[in-house]
Amino acid sequence: MIERYKTIYEGSEAEIVEKKSRFIATIRLVETEEEALAFIEEMRKKYWNATHNCFAYTIGERQEIVRAGDDGEPGGTAGRPMLDVILGEGLHNTAAVVTRYFGGTLLGTGGLVRAYSSAVQAGLSASTIIEKQYGTMLEIQTDYNGIGKIQYFLGQRKIPIMDSQYTDQVAITILAPQSQIPALKAEIIEATNGRAVLTDKDELYFAVLDGQILTGDQLRA
């Protein structure tokens, strides 16, 4: 598992105009190549009367699959520049289709590259991007003397508390990036003089958006 990567949470659409040609960029989260191909076909049907529907996508936690297509534009002037923007932003599982309605004026090779790149940049700016992190859900059981110290340094490190239970002892569940877990455990043990009981509950991807923790199906809008 890769520890963290950026991806689309909610795709969007944006339009730019270059010398009367309209370039409409549509951005979508795609987690398989089948989803990417279905998205491209959906855009071709939606904009059936467009001059071109160019595309680019990257699939996989390690960007194992990358594809781009010019759809009739001069080779290398559309799909590849679009893909370069996606890769340059460090995005995974992301697809873009840029629809062009020709405005009557040729843009030239450089103009096409700039237009398709700018359209994707505008589409990404209109989209919601999250950073997925691979984390560990950790349950901490301690007495009431230790909980205040634990809550303090969790707050300092901006580590979210997922759940709290107060009985004769306190049990809280936290979610933290996996790389932070060993040091975190050591600090908790030291802060509670070894009285805290720590239990790994689960390992999963999560993201934080507007202060809300997203896991599982919540990672797709």
Side-chain angles (χ1 to χ4, degrees):
M1 293 288 185
I2 189 170
E3 183 179 344
R4 60 180 65 208
Y5 64 89
K6 289 164 60 179
T7 189
I8 298 296
Y9 174 69
E10 187 171 16
S12 191
E13 183 181 287
E15 179 177 335
I16 68 168
V17 177
E18 290 288 341
K19 295 183 179 178
K20 298 183 180 180
S21 280
R22 296 172 59 207
F23 294 85
I24 305 166
T26 308
I27 309 296
R28 183 78 58 87
L29 169 68
V30 290
E31 296 183 325
T32 65
E33 190 159 26
E34 289 74 18
E35 286 186 9
L37 295 175
F39 165 56
I40 294 165
E41 186 61 26
E42 176 190 336
M43 292 299 101
R44 283 175 174 162
K45 288 179 179 178
K46 179 178 179 179
Y47 297 111
W48 60 270
N49 60 341
T51 316
H52 306 280
N53 283 290
C54 306
F55 69 86
Y57 60 85
T58 175
I59 306 291
E61 293 173 5
R62 302 182 185 278
Q63 297 174 323
E64 294 91 345
I65 299 172
V66 292
R67 300 278 189 272
D70 296 312
D71 192 31
E73 292 281 31
T77 62
R80 185 68 220 191
M82 292 166 59
L83 183 61
D84 286 344
V85 172
I86 294 171
L87 296 177
E89 293 293 331
L91 289 165
H92 301 238
N93 294 341
T94 300
V97 173
V98 174
T99 301
R100 182 188 183 189
Y101 286 93
F102 182 56
T105 302
L106 297 175
L107 300 183
T109 300
L112 287 172
V113 169
R114 287 191 296 272
Y116 279 100
S117 299
S118 297
V120 174
Q121 289 166 347
L124 292 176
S125 295
S127 301
T128 303
I129 295 171
I130 56 174
E131 182 179 62
K132 291 177 69 172
Q133 301 181 66
Y134 195 66
T136 297
M137 198 172 286
L138 182 68
E139 184 182 80
I140 306 166
Q141 291 184 318
T142 187
D143 55 31
Y144 282 82
N145 292 325
I147 191 61
K149 295 178 182 178
I150 292 172
Q151 288 173 328
Y152 175 76
F153 70 69
L154 290 178
Q156 290 290 102
R157 290 156 183 76
K158 297 182 180 180
I159 295 173
I161 296 175
M162 305 286 291
D163 185 46
S164 303
Q165 296 181 18
Y166 292 84
T167 55
D168 55 328
Q169 287 209 323
V170 182
I172 63 172
T173 302
I174 66 169
L175 184 56
Q178 200 170 49
S179 60
Q180 296 182 23
I181 292 295
L184 197 58
K185 287 180 175 179
E187 289 179 325
I188 292 170
I189 294 297
E190 182 178 355
T192 60
N193 295 318
R195 292 192 297 273
V197 178
L198 310 178
T199 306
D200 291 352
K201 303 295 288 185
D202 199 6
E203 294 181 355
L204 70 166
Y205 276 111
F206 73 98
V208 180
L209 178 64
D210 298 331
Q212 180 183 357
I213 302 162
L214 307 175
T215 62
D217 291 341
Q218 296 172 325
L219 292 168
R220 298 188 71 142

